[in-house]
Amino acid sequence: MKKIILLIAIICSYIITQASHLAGGEIWYSHISDSTYKVHYRTYRDCSGIPAATIEILRYRSVSLGIDSSTYMPQDTFYYNNTCPNTSCEIPSSNLLGIEIREYSALVILRPAPDWQMQVTPAGARNPSNNLSGTSSTNYNMYIEATLDNSTLPNNATFPYAAINMRQNSSIQSNFNFPMLDPDGDVLEIEFTSPLSNLPVPPSYFNPQQMTYVNGATINNPFVSIPAPSLNSATGNITLNPCLQGDFNFAVIIKEYRNNKLIGTAMRDYLFSFEIDSNQPPTLTGINNTFLIDTTIEVCPTNNFTFAVHSTDSNLTDSTFIFCISKPTGATFAAIQSQNQIGYFYWTPGLAEVRTQPYIVVFKVKDNQCAEQSYGYRVYVKQCSNLSIKNEQNESVVKLYPNPSYNSMTFEMLEYKSGTDYSYSIMDVSGRTLRSGVIKNKKTHLNVSSFPSGLYFLELTRNRQRLGTFNLRKE
């Protein structure tokens, strides 16, 4: 009897001491075939903690089917997510936070049911934080859950295609994008939620407790910043405002809707380390060098579509680098090598890509001083015959044709009013203005025969306010 008790004590001790300093977790699933799904889990660990386990446990259940089961999730991959060198991953005594990432997966059978729950409670304790009660002890773990309603059709959860950067600058406003990509084209919404745990009470694997925020933190303002962070529920863009130094836990939930019905959720839990850094992070412009970050653009199927984003840095000696971390299937990306890179997105969507939901294109910009930000841009692919700019009533106000063109193009101002100040500018992909003029009639003809073949941008203004931008393709 004593040997059995000793064995249980050893196992419990092993579970609790594995992967201390947990700094984040993400869960998602993908449909393989029939009732077979692959469930994925990604864990983030502070490198100064105890090493993570190479196997995690997935628990899943459906009350309606009477199924409550579990399986092992072997480790698939292991890597570091460090923006800067000399972190605690390379130098254990370093004060710079270093993050180790491990990804696990398992195949499971999920028969059609409206109430599947999947959860992973990684072995170990949360990293201590400034805003959650009890995380200074080893009594609180991390509970990550996803849900699935596949009673009508199979479903793929939105998956985090890129790891999150945990280090943030506490003294400035900054932007980053929560990775959200749904292969089924379903409607996604993201919102803050409460971090969960199933300790210190005896584990109840599908009845977790909400953790308590302290020191002025709340679900929607977990960083105690002024003002509170701004989270765009459609694109996943979040703007962080200056806050206190320290480590702050928070969680988000991504909800997936199909035909206005909730068919799945996926939870993500993170710990951000806010530090004072005199280095200002690099930034990106909106589409085609506009000032709007949350840019929306409409595209017609079978047309070549290109847009540019420009990187800048207030530190004039810094170099900036652009990376595309999410794009639609078939799209490509290229960056012009220079001190401040310009990134170009290329895509020719087909008729199959026409849908009401936008495609989210995400870019990350980094400088050579360890700072980075990320931004999401919405691209709508709609069925259309001519390229046009529409008003708030979805009525065309400007049309451009033919596009592409060999010699000349025409843009038509459908709501042209005499006495209104209209103007146009034609720019190349670097943003350099090649031609500009005043619009004096409802129809304006452009001779582009002298332009080399390639992509150009036509920007229209009304009373010095930007009306819209077209992509011009010269053959």
Side-chain angles (χ1 to χ4, degrees):
M1 183 66 179
K2 291 183 179 179
K3 290 182 178 179
I4 295 175
I5 294 174
L6 178 60
L7 178 59
I8 293 175
I10 291 173
I11 292 174
C12 290
S13 174
Y14 171 79
I15 291 175
I16 292 297
T17 57
Q18 287 295 301
S20 71
H21 292 197
L22 291 173
E26 300 162 337
I27 188 171
W28 69 100
Y29 49 83
S30 53
H31 178 244
I32 304 301
S33 63
D34 299 323
S35 296
T36 302
Y37 285 77
K38 192 172 189 178
V39 182
H40 309 260
Y41 171 70
R42 178 188 290 156
T43 188
Y44 297 75
R45 185 189 70 86
D46 181 346
C47 282
S48 63
I50 297 172
T54 56
I55 295 178
E56 292 289 359
I57 297 176
L58 169 70
R59 294 178 172 85
Y60 57 102
R61 76 170 181 179
S62 166
V63 175
S64 64
L65 295 179
I67 296 175
D68 191 333
S69 189
S70 63
T71 188
Y72 290 113
M73 303 182 80
Q75 177 181 299
D76 293 327
T77 187
F78 160 80
Y79 54 98
Y80 296 119
N81 186 39
N82 298 329
T83 303
C84 298
N86 303 321
T87 68
S88 57
C89 294
E90 296 90 13
I91 305 174
S93 60
S94 174
N95 291 324
L96 287 178
L97 176 68
I99 295 296
E100 169 193 284
I101 296 175
R102 294 177 185 261
E103 296 185 6
Y104 309 80
S105 67
L107 292 173
V108 293
I109 302 298
L110 305 178
R111 290 161 36 207
D115 57 350
W116 282 110
Q117 290 176 273
M118 294 152 270
Q119 71 95 345
V120 176
T121 302
R126 288 178 177 272
N127 216 32
S129 69
N130 297 84
N131 64 340
L132 285 184
S133 174
T135 55
S136 59
S137 70
T138 58
N139 291 332
Y140 286 88
N141 58 14
M142 185 177 293
Y143 177 102
I144 308 294
E145 182 182 75
T147 64
L148 165 67
D149 177 355
N150 63 347
S151 58
T152 304
L153 291 171
N155 182 39
N156 296 279
T158 176
F159 64 92
Y161 42 80
I164 289 288
N165 176 34
M166 301 294 191
R167 296 182 66 244
Q168 302 291 333
N169 192 336
S170 66
S171 59
I172 60 169
Q173 185 181 83
S174 60
N175 192 90
F176 79 93
N177 180 268
F178 281 109
M180 296 197 309
L181 181 65
D182 185 74
D184 303 318
D186 295 321
V187 177
L188 300 178
E189 293 182 359
I190 184 171
E191 61 188 47
F192 287 113
T193 189
S194 174
L196 301 177
S197 173
N198 61 15
L199 289 176
V201 298
S204 176
Y205 293 116
F206 290 99
N207 188 28
Q209 62 171 308
Q210 292 187 356
M211 300 198 68
T212 302
Y213 278 112
V214 294
N215 299 327
T218 63
I219 289 178
N220 291 315
N221 190 2
F223 315 118
V224 201
S225 63
I226 300 176
S230 172
L231 176 59
N232 187 308
S233 63
T235 64
N237 281 339
I238 181 172
T239 300
L240 298 175
N241 295 300
C243 65
L244 299 174
Q245 287 181 267
D247 296 331
F248 295 84
N249 266 118
F250 72 103
V252 295
I253 186 169
I254 300 174
K255 299 179 179 180
E256 183 176 358
Y257 295 88
R258 184 177 297 167
N259 298 324
N260 297 318
K261 178 184 178 183
L262 180 66
I263 60 171
T265 63
M267 182 182 176
R268 302 177 187 176
D269 189 314
Y270 304 106
L271 180 135
F272 273 12
S273 179
F274 287 88
E275 307 163 2
I276 293 179
D277 189 345
S278 60
N279 178 47
Q280 298 292 312
T283 59
L284 288 179
T285 65
I287 288 176
N288 296 333
N289 207 24
T290 62
F291 293 102
L292 298 176
I293 296 304
D294 184 23
T295 308
T296 298
I297 194 164
E298 294 184 6
V299 189
C300 294
T302 72
N303 285 342
N304 297 326
F305 168 59
T306 304
F307 71 79
V309 290
H310 295 239
S311 63
T312 59
D313 199 308
S314 60
N315 304 304
L316 299 181
T317 59
D318 283 357
S319 298
T320 54
F321 312 91
I322 306 176
F323 307 87
C324 184
I325 58 178
S326 174
K327 62 183 186 299
T329 302
T332 59
F333 171 79
I336 291 182
Q337 299 301 317
S338 63
Q339 180 180 345
N340 298 119
Q341 288 187 345
I342 303 174
Y344 295 96
F345 171 86
Y346 305 90
W347 191 27
T348 305
L351 293 174
E353 277 73 50
V354 175
R355 70 185 196 190
T356 58
Q357 295 307 309
Y359 294 86
I360 306 298
V361 182
V362 180
F363 298 108
K364 178 170 68 175
V365 58
K366 299 176 65 174
D367 67 15
N368 54 337
Q369 300 293 328
C370 300
E372 66 176 54
Q373 298 195 80
S374 55
Y375 303 81
Y377 304 82
R378 284 182 282 193
V379 177
Y380 289 87
V381 180
K382 296 187 176 182
Q383 187 63 271
C384 46
S385 55
N386 290 315
L387 290 178
S388 64
I389 296 174
K390 297 182 179 182
N391 59 18
E392 294 179 355
Q393 288 74 43
N394 203 34
E395 300 168 334
S396 294
V397 295
V398 183
K399 285 188 176 181
L400 172 70
Y401 52 88
N403 192 18
S405 175
Y406 288 95
N407 296 305
S408 65
M409 294 181 176
T410 298
F411 61 87
E412 185 175 356
M413 311 290 290
L414 301 180
E415 295 184 349
Y416 178 84
K417 294 180 180 179
S418 179
T420 302
D421 182 12
Y422 297 97
S423 63
Y424 74 91
S425 297
I426 300 177
M427 297 165 287
D428 62 17
V429 293
S430 70
R432 181 168 57 99
T433 299
L434 304 179
R435 186 184 300 173
S436 61
V438 176
I439 301 172
K440 299 180 179 180
N441 300 292
K442 183 176 182 180
K443 290 185 179 181
T444 301
H445 302 285
L446 299 174
N447 186 340
V448 294
S449 59
S450 62
F451 286 14
S453 297
L455 176 73
Y456 300 89
F457 304 119
L458 170 65
E459 183 175 86
L460 303 177
T461 63
R462 179 175 54 199
N463 294 329
R464 300 187 180 182
Q465 297 294 316
R466 180 178 171 273
L467 187 60
T469 302
F470 285 110
N471 290 331
L472 303 183
R473 174 67 63 175
K474 169 63 168 57
E475 299 293 351

